[in-house]
């Protein structure tokens, strides 16, 4: 393996972070399904995603359509 093919510390850290986030989501999904009804889990995930997307749009100054007539075409 040449020097350019080895992973840097930052790449290893990002890979570890990705594996923890990915694996953790499966673990917490299994725990949540045994403790809560599925509709509650769907609502919570959808709400969290909506808040994150709204926050991202506000930070990036992306306009959000509020008029239903402008969305229908």
């Amino acid at each position: 393996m040449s020097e350019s093919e080895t992973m840097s510390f930052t790449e290893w850290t990002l890979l570890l972070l990705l594996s923890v986030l990915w694996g953790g989501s499966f673990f917490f999904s299994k725990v949540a399904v045994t403790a809560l009804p599925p509709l509650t889990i769907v609502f919570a995930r959808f709400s969290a995603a909506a808040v994150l997307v709204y926050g991202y749009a506000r930070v990036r100054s992306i306009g959000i359509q509020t008029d239903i007539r402008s969305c229908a075409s």
Side-chain angles (χ1 to χ4, degrees), residues 1-9 11-12:
M1 218 177 196
S2 71
E3 184 66 31
S4 64
E5 293 177 1
T6 60
M7 289 177 54
S8 70
F9 178 76
E11 291 169 329
W12 277 110

Side-chain angles (χ1 to χ4, degrees), residues 53-65:
V53 169
Y54 180 75
Y56 177 79
R58 295 284 298 196
V59 167
R60 303 281 294 182
S61 300
I62 299 172
I64 298 173
Q65 297 284 339

Side-chain angles (χ1 to χ4, degrees), residues 14-46:
L14 289 172
L15 181 61
L16 180 64
L17 178 64
L18 176 64
S19 65
V20 167
L21 290 173
W22 188 268
S25 69
F26 286 104
F27 172 75
F28 287 115
S29 292
K30 182 172 173 110
V31 170
V33 166
T34 60
L36 299 169
L39 190 58
T40 303
I41 297 168
V42 170
F43 177 75
R45 291 182 64 165
F46 182 81

